[in-house]
Amino acid sequence: MSRTYVVSGAASGIGAATAAMLRGQGHRVIGIDLHAGDGVDVAADLGTPEGRSAAVAGVQGLTDVVHGLVPAAGLAGRTGVPGDLVVSVNFFGAVALARGLHPQLTAAAARDGDAGVVFLASNSITGMPGWNVPTVEACLRDDEEAARAEAAKVDSVMVYPSSKAGLAWWARREGVKPEWAGAGIRLNSVAPGATETAMVEQMRADPLLGGAIDAYPTAIGRTGRPEEVAAPICFLLSEGATNIVGACLFVDGGTDAMLHPMAPEGWEVGPVDLG
């Protein structure tokens, strides 16, 4: 059965690979990105409330049902990129799409039995020491102003894992509630490691942080490819994954397993108030 999916960050990287894979399976994909282009049906800035509203309205103008959402748009925490912008795009942009398209996800689940959202987390949430806790706490309180203020206090490289941990934890906390799982909408996330995208190339070129990209070990001896992340995303959206709710699937070539052989544990970042 052909379904309708929405993918943000659809113009490049994991978003583009996911959109292409879904289309290859015969589905309709509505692409969102910052600028118009091939595969982009809705151009909007997810870093602002106005842009998020425009993105949701744009999708709603194109379809009454959304069987799945992949909010893949994101910014890396690197030199010259403000931390407050990172948290606004990565966390609040993604969550706003899920909330804004909830009526269309609910309609798809009611009509066809299932709908899903797959967030893009990151293995940096367990693999990077010392990331900023107050930022993720503000995210989970749904306080963007406070999150941006906290993020602005530290280098954006320490904000990126905060934004991604927020997505993984939000999916677990919210996903089991009546308005999500109870309505037939499954929330999950994937946690990629370094994946050969434009974002990773930008990080490699960073004069201060570039060396860290290839420093983490992998069991497979290489970085990932976008389609290797797209495939598990497509599975989590599929009818084959209808019993999976609140999962965070590491797709990182074994990096997290090498760092944490018994369980995916975080570094000592202090007590975290999940709100």
Side-chain angles (χ1 to χ4, degrees):
M1 179 180 69
S2 177
R3 296 188 164 206
T4 298
Y5 294 100
V6 176
V7 179
S8 72
S12 63
I14 294 170
T18 301
M21 193 167 289
L22 289 168
R23 290 189 181 105
Q25 295 172 355
H27 302 299
R28 178 191 183 192
V29 176
I30 298 173
I32 302 172
D33 212 281
L34 181 59
H35 303 293
D38 291 342
V40 178
D41 302 284
V42 178
D45 181 0
L46 297 177
T48 69
E50 297 79 13
R52 298 163 202 157
S53 296
V56 169
V59 172
Q60 290 173 336
L62 296 172
T63 184
D64 295 326
V65 295
V66 173
H67 294 90
L69 167 67
V70 184
L75 293 176
R78 58 188 178 89
T79 303
V81 176
D84 52 358
L85 181 60
V86 169
V87 76
S88 281
V89 173
N90 291 5
F91 181 83
F92 290 98
V95 169
L97 289 180
R99 284 176 167 156
L101 294 174
H102 185 271
Q104 287 68 42
L105 290 160
T106 302
R111 192 185 75 180
D112 298 316
D114 181 56
V117 179
V118 181
F119 293 102
L120 270 289
S122 165
N123 74 348
S124 65
I125 67 181
T126 58
M128 181 182 291
W131 50 262
N132 186 257
V133 171
T135 298
V136 73
E137 290 177 332
C139 287
L140 294 170
R141 293 196 306 269
D142 201 28
D143 189 339
E144 185 170 4
E145 182 178 356
R148 287 178 60 90
E150 293 293 346
K153 296 176 183 178
V154 297
D155 292 338
S156 62
V157 67
M158 293 301 181
V159 174
Y160 181 81
S162 305
S163 68
K164 297 301 185 174
L167 291 176
W169 294 343
W170 193 88
R172 288 182 67 81
R173 186 185 69 183
E174 301 299 315
V176 297
K177 293 182 177 180
E179 60 266 36
W180 296 102
I185 307 165
R186 296 174 297 104
L187 305 186
N188 292 291
S189 63
V190 294
T195 306
E196 293 301 329
T197 63
M199 179 186 290
V200 163
E201 284 304 307
Q202 292 169 347
M203 286 296 296
R204 281 200 179 101
D206 190 297
L208 299 177
L209 307 170
I213 291 297
D214 297 303
Y216 283 99
T218 68
I220 62 174
R222 61 171 174 82
T223 53
R225 297 187 291 267
E227 61 270 21
E228 293 174 318
V229 183
I233 289 173
C234 291
F235 168 70
L236 287 172
L237 291 171
S238 75
E239 294 174 272
T242 51
N243 195 34
I244 303 176
V245 175
C248 182
L249 176 61
F250 283 79
V251 189
D252 66 352
T255 296
D256 185 76
M258 294 175 76
L259 295 175
H260 311 107
M262 296 301 292
E265 301 171 355
W267 288 76
E268 289 298 326
V269 294
V272 180
D273 181 0
L274 299 184

